[in-house]
Amino acid sequence: MTYATLVQLMQDYLENGEASFVSNIPDIIRTAEEAIYNAVRTPDQRQTQTGTVATQTLTTPGGFVEPLGLYLGASTTPLLLKSPTYIRTVWGGLTGEPKTYAILTSTADSPNSTAPATILLGPAPSTSYSYTLDYVGVPTSITAAATPSRSTWLSINFSGVLLYRCLIEGYIYNKGAADMMAVYETKYKELLEDLKRSSEGLVMQDEYRDRPVGREVTI
């Protein structure tokens, strides 16, 4: 599903092509995306940054939400995630190869933010180290640049989830009746479970070691 298709479907489902509603559709879509990304960890949220660090603080990319693992050099053992207080208390002014890290600032409370976060290392690096940071980040919105042909991982693979969440947000904007809202919410929750099963169940499992993820069916 492309951006243009999503916009048209929202107008058709909600029966509203009024100019003020149409002008607010990009904001409505971004609100819907934020709700989905807060509910599920999708594959496109799992991102990686590489680089070198020689100081005690490390700046993450814009859109950083939370860390998945921080590695130095070719090591496959991640640094331990601790609190800033722990690092300041235990490591103080010591230098050496970092063993721990903490998040000083984060954009976790604002998933659509593009502001970077700051990571504190402990002890402070005694030399320059290459690093790999695996993290949860904010995917590019389907509204970016508002190009009609734009699509995203979510709109391609789980277009129904995106559509119905947008309909919910759009219905709130339009102050629609509660009975129709309930219909949209029921359908959204059903589709969201499929997304969770795929993103947090199947994608995160090893088929050689884990049992298949089934979905409970009520007759």
Side-chain angles (χ1 to χ4, degrees), residues 5-203:
T5 300
L6 177 58
V7 170
Q8 188 60 55
L9 284 172
M10 290 176 65
Q11 294 179 70
D12 293 345
Y13 271 77
L14 300 175
E15 298 181 337
N16 189 351
E18 194 267 329
S20 63
F21 171 68
V22 174
S23 67
N24 280 290
I25 283 180
D27 288 330
I28 293 172
I29 293 175
R30 284 189 288 270
T31 299
E33 290 173 327
E34 182 174 328
I36 295 170
Y37 291 136
N38 277 334
V40 186
R41 286 289 180 250
T42 54
D44 56 331
Q45 288 178 273
R46 300 177 184 276
Q47 302 174 22
T48 299
Q49 172 178 274
T50 59
T52 58
V53 59
T55 60
Q56 194 169 16
T57 57
L58 168 65
T59 300
T60 69
F64 174 90
V65 176
E66 62 184 12
L68 295 174
L70 177 59
Y71 307 83
L72 294 183
S75 174
T76 57
T77 302
L79 276 62
L80 297 176
L81 179 61
K82 298 290 186 179
S83 70
T85 301
Y86 173 92
I87 291 180
R88 293 188 180 107
T89 301
V90 172
W91 299 113
L94 298 177
T95 61
E97 181 179 343
K99 305 295 183 184
T100 60
Y101 72 106
I103 308 301
L104 286 178
T105 59
S106 177
T107 57
D109 293 331
S110 181
N112 274 322
S113 172
T114 57
T118 301
I119 292 177
L120 180 68
L121 301 174
S126 56
T127 186
S128 180
Y129 290 90
S130 62
Y131 72 86
T132 299
L133 173 65
D134 293 329
Y135 66 99
V136 173
V138 181
T140 302
S141 172
I142 196 173
T143 66
T147 54
S149 62
R150 177 167 181 78
S151 59
T152 62
W153 182 92
L154 186 63
S155 73
I156 293 172
N157 295 282
F158 290 90
S159 58
V161 177
L162 179 58
L163 172 60
Y164 276 90
R165 186 69 217 189
C166 287
L167 293 178
I168 290 172
E169 301 298 338
Y171 213 62
I172 293 172
Y173 175 91
N174 289 326
K175 301 178 178 60
D179 56 345
M180 198 63 215
M181 173 71 81
V183 172
Y184 290 148
E185 288 179 338
T186 298
K187 185 63 176 179
Y188 169 69
K189 290 177 181 177
E190 177 185 322
L191 294 171
L192 187 66
E193 284 302 311
D194 290 335
L195 175 58
K196 285 185 176 181
R197 174 177 174 270
S198 176
S199 298
E200 298 178 354
L202 299 177
V203 169

